[in-house]
Amino acid sequence: MLTTVPLSKYCDLSGEDKKAVERRIERGHWIKGTHFFKPANVRERWVDLLAISDWARSSGSNS
C-alpha cells in the first residue's frame, strides 16, 4: 500500500488545489515531518496520506 505521494499526485487524487494545500502548510495546519516532507534532491514536497487522513478525521466538524 502506497502511503506517501508527491504533492501533485495528492492533488490529483483528492481534487484539492495545490494553493489550498500550500496555505494549509503556511498556516501550520500540516506539520513538516508529520503531514508532509521534502526528500533530499527532490523538488516537490511529498504527502503522508495516513497522517492527512488522521488530520482530516480529527480536525473536521462533528456534523
Side-chain angles (χ1 to χ4, degrees):
M1 180 173 147
L2 190 62
T3 60
T4 56
V5 295
L7 180 57
S8 58
K9 184 64 174 177
Y10 168 78
C11 290
D12 289 343
L13 292 170
S14 69
E16 288 195 272
D17 182 59
K18 187 175 179 181
K19 288 184 181 186
V21 173
E22 295 291 342
R23 282 191 302 272
R24 203 172 286 140
I25 290 170
E26 289 171 7
R27 293 177 180 162
H29 297 290
W30 285 10
I31 301 164
K32 185 175 183 179
T34 300
H35 302 103
F36 72 95
F37 61 98
K38 178 86 170 54
N41 302 316
V42 176
R43 298 176 111 185
E44 192 170 12
R45 290 177 172 138
W46 280 57
V47 174
D48 184 316
L49 298 175
L50 296 176
I52 297 305
S53 179
D54 289 344
W55 171 83
R57 289 176 182 271
S58 67
S59 66
S61 67
N62 290 330
S63 52

